[in-house]
């Protein structure tokens, strides 16, 4: 380890020292069988280097591509993963693990290497998004949390990317926290959506935590609490003079728009500008046209119309095709839960141990062995034309997508900013084949397996067959 790496390691150790339970960084946020295997590996002397890869086995129906997301949170976890004093005390009291295992866990720090696709990279089934190399017990113990972080953010970013493509030029906002499956999910959904191209989020903590712009209007309850709808609008505007966006559909949408049209000149004399109105129910295209006409007739052509309420990429695509005069959308449930596809068939599998290629041959879940690289080709217009999954050391045409991001547990370069990750995702979406950008999935994007990788699989199979062959067989 170099002097620079040693200094970085000391900084990481210093942050973890004396820490009590922090669920997001805890090694106990895992499946019990990971801890069981950790002890069995250590006690069996199986501590040689192991290579694990995270990948999606198959694309869900109706999905032509995915957008890789979550790498930065994984790297942060790897830097900080540890056990606090209270966690170690609980493990000890549980009686499940030996004193030697507890001692190893007390001193646990990630020491391995990581190669990965950059966040915001378009990816497909069968392609490793991340490769981790570390002593076997260490690499195994990290499995569950790595899957947890990469799976959810890739799922949401992929959903958000479809919405961005379905509504080009529109302002998209994340409204998903209240329907997300827990606090961390809501925050990570805001992050993943922003990476994919959303303009902001309603989740307040996302701004101090990630630097994501936050936005908010008002709820129907605010209007209901007032007997006079106009008075509700005026009071809200005077308390939020810099960001006045008023909700129109508590009672009668068009009537509310006329009230805004009458109120706006009075607010303007006090230097308050109505920036926008929001629609949350009914036939959004029909209401938007009526509201637009009312506002324009009142000289309020700069007031923007936002819509929310049960939106997904299909509704966005229909509203876009209809030419609905809607400037932006707030999207919640379908984004944060990826409601039409709530999970990806993904895995983190052992591909090499102690220099020996390994593979799983289970029906429907077979894997390709060894350390792999993804090589991407482009056509003359610069659009993605096809990928090759090859051995890491195998020559082939195309741009290598997996790059080193950690060595000996230390980042090889400063973390990219969220703005840089977002810009990379935007550039990737611009290079999609036309039918994928139109949210089609036929024909499927070509992903081939190299001859070298197929030969390595045969080698791995022969080694297993020889090992289990009966004596003299």
């Amino acid at each position: 380890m170099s002097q620079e790496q040693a200094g970085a390691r000391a900084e990481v150790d210093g942050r973890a020292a004396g820490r009590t339970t922090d669920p997001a960084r805890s090694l106990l946020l895992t499946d019990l069988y990971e801890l069981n295997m950790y002890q069995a590996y250590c006690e069996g002397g199986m501590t040689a280097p192991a290579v694990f890869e995270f990948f999606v086995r198959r694309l869900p129906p109706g999905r032509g591509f995915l957008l890789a997301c979550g790498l930065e949170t994984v790297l942060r976890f790897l830097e900080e993963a540890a056990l606090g004093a209270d966690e170690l005390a609980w493990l000890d009291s549980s009686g499940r693990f030996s004193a030697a295992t507890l001692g190893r866990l007390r001193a646990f720090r990630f020491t391995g290497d990581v190669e990965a696709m950059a966040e915001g990279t378009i990816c497909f089934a069968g392609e490793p998004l991340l490769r981790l190399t570390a002593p076997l017990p260490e690499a195994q113990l990290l499995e569950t949390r790595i899957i947890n972080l990469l799976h959810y953010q890739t799922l949401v970013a992929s959903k958000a990317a479809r919405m961005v493509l379905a509504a080009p030029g529109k302002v998209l906002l994340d409204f998903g926290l209240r329907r997300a499956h827990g606090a961390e999910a809501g925050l990570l959904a805001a992050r993943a959506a922003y990476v994919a191209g959303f303009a902001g989020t309603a989740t307040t903590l996302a701004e101090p935590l990630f630097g994501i712009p936050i936005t908010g209007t008002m709820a129907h309850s605010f209007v209901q609490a007032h007997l006079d709808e106009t008075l509700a609008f005026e009071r809200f505007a005077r308390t939020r003079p810099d960001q006045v966006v008023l909700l129109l559909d508590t009672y009668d949408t068009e009537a509310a728009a006329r009230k805004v049209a009458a109120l706006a000149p009075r607010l303007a004399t006090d230097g308050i500008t109505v920036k926008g109105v929001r629609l949350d129910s009914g036939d959004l295209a029909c209401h938007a046209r009526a509201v637009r006409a009312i506002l324009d007739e009142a000289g309020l052509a700069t007031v923007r119309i936002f819509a929310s309420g049960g939106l997904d990429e299909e509704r966005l695509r229909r509203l876009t095709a209809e030419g609905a005069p809607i400037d932006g959308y707030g999207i919640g449930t379908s984004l944060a839960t990826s409601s039409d596809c709530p999970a990806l068939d993904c895995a983190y599998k052992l591909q090499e141990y102690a220099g020996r290629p390994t593979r799983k041959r289970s029906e429907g879940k077979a894997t390709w062995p060894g350390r792999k690289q993804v090589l991407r080709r482009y056509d003359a217009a610069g659009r993605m034309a096809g990928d090759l999954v090859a051995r890491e050391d195998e020559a082939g045409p195309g741009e290598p997508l997996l790059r080193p991001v950690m060595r000996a547990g230390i980042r090889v370069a400063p973390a990219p900013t969220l703005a840089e990750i977002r810009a990379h995702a935007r550039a990737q979406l611009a290079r999609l084949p036309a039918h994928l950008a139109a949210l089609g999935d036929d024909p499927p994007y070509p992903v081939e397996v190299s001859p070298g990788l197929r030969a390595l699989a045969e080698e791995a199979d022969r080694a297993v067959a020889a090992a289990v062959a009966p004596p003299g067989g």
Side-chain angles (χ1 to χ4, degrees):
M1 182 181 296
S2 69
Q3 185 175 358
E4 182 179 352
Q5 287 177 317
R9 168 56 65 199
E11 180 182 348
V12 170
D13 289 349
R15 289 201 301 267
R19 182 179 58 80
T20 55
T21 303
D22 174 5
R25 313 297 176 203
S26 175
L27 288 171
L28 294 189
L29 189 60
T30 189
D31 295 305
L32 178 60
Y33 83 164
E34 310 288 14
L35 288 159
N36 292 341
M37 288 186 285
Y38 180 87
Q39 176 164 282
Y41 285 144
C42 290
E43 293 186 359
M46 298 183 67
T47 58
V51 177
F52 283 79
E53 291 178 344
F54 174 90
F55 59 95
V56 175
R57 287 192 180 97
R58 55 188 63 85
L59 294 179
R63 293 284 200 275
F65 68 91
L66 299 173
L67 189 72
C69 191
L71 176 61
E72 173 56 28
T73 48
V74 167
L75 298 182
R76 182 71 181 270
F77 168 68
L78 294 177
E79 288 179 313
E80 299 184 351
L83 290 172
D86 56 344
E87 298 163 310
L88 287 161
W90 178 83
L91 274 178
D92 190 15
S93 68
S94 76
R96 290 184 174 91
F97 301 100
S98 66
T101 296
L102 292 174
R104 293 186 186 97
L105 290 172
R106 183 176 292 108
F108 184 95
R109 297 293 183 271
F110 178 63
T111 64
D113 300 341
V114 179
E115 286 81 26
M117 291 186 185
E119 277 199 90
T121 298
I122 297 294
C123 56
F124 301 92
E127 300 181 344
L129 278 63
L130 175 146
R131 180 171 67 246
L132 184 148
T133 305
L136 179 58
E138 187 178 316
Q140 184 75 67
L141 184 59
L142 299 166
E143 173 185 17
T144 298
R145 185 62 168 151
I146 288 175
I147 294 176
N148 173 255
L149 291 169
L150 285 179
H151 166 263
Y152 180 68
Q153 290 180 81
T154 296
L155 178 74
V156 174
S158 302
K159 182 73 169 175
R162 292 171 60 81
M163 296 174 182
V164 169
L165 293 168
K170 304 297 183 180
V171 175
L172 302 185
L173 303 170
D174 158 48
F175 283 8
L177 177 60
R178 61 186 58 193
R179 301 290 173 79
H181 297 170
E184 184 183 56
L187 283 166
L188 294 182
R191 182 184 184 278
Y194 190 66
V195 165
F198 273 46
T201 180
T203 302
T204 307
L205 187 56
E207 184 170 283
L209 196 62
F210 301 126
I212 298 173
I214 54 174
T215 185
T217 57
M218 63 197 307
H220 293 107
S221 57
F222 188 86
V223 176
Q224 291 173 274
H226 295 75
L227 287 176
D228 185 320
E229 191 172 30
T230 298
L231 179 59
F233 291 160
E234 183 169 2
R235 282 183 173 168
F236 186 82
R238 292 189 183 281
T239 59
R240 300 287 300 159
D242 296 330
Q243 292 293 330
V244 181
V245 180
L246 303 172
L247 181 60
L248 299 186
D249 68 325
T250 305
Y251 304 119
D252 181 302
T253 301
E254 282 75 25
R258 285 188 283 272
K259 292 174 185 178
V260 171
L263 175 64
R266 188 163 76 248
L267 292 174
T269 62
D270 294 328
I272 300 172
T273 301
V274 177
K275 298 288 182 64
V277 295
R278 179 161 69 94
L279 313 175
D280 191 53
S281 59
D283 185 330
L284 294 177
C286 182
H287 283 313
R289 291 189 183 96
V291 169
R292 184 75 272 161
I294 292 167
L295 296 174
D296 289 351
E297 185 178 356
L300 300 174
T302 60
V303 175
R304 296 193 295 176
I305 298 175
F306 291 88
S308 56
L311 297 170
D312 61 13
E313 63 266 43
E314 292 306 317
R315 286 195 69 190
L316 293 179
R317 188 155 59 172
R318 288 198 299 272
L319 288 165
T320 299
E322 293 173 21
I326 298 173
D327 301 288
Y329 299 93
I331 304 162
T333 303
S334 69
L335 173 69
T337 67
S338 187
S339 52
D340 67 319
C341 169
L344 299 173
D345 183 3
C346 59
Y348 172 92
K349 293 300 180 185
L350 181 66
Q351 313 290 40
E352 178 184 302
Y353 176 61
R356 172 178 59 83
T358 68
R359 68 183 301 226
K360 184 175 178 179
R361 296 185 60 186
S362 307
E363 185 177 350
K365 293 186 176 182
T367 61
W368 297 102
R371 306 171 190 234
K372 290 178 279 296
Q373 180 58 271
V374 180
L375 301 170
R376 176 160 294 166
R377 295 179 291 105
Y378 301 90
D379 63 19
R383 292 184 177 269
M384 301 168 191
D387 290 1
L388 179 70
V389 182
R391 294 176 61 164
E392 181 191 30
D393 57 357
E394 190 175 2
E399 173 193 7
L401 299 185
L402 276 74
R403 307 287 175 85
V405 291
M406 263 190 168
R407 288 287 181 263
I410 304 298
R411 295 174 190 257
V412 302
T417 65
L418 198 55
E420 290 169 336
I421 296 170
R422 177 178 158 88
H424 176 66
R426 182 170 58 249
Q428 287 279 293
L429 290 173
R431 303 187 81 174
L432 277 170
H435 72 287
L436 294 184
L439 304 187
D441 61 351
D442 188 35
Y445 182 83
V447 177
E448 300 178 357
V449 176
S450 73
L453 197 51
R454 294 181 184 280
L456 189 65
E458 294 176 2
E459 176 187 326
D461 291 346
R462 286 194 299 269
V464 171
V468 300

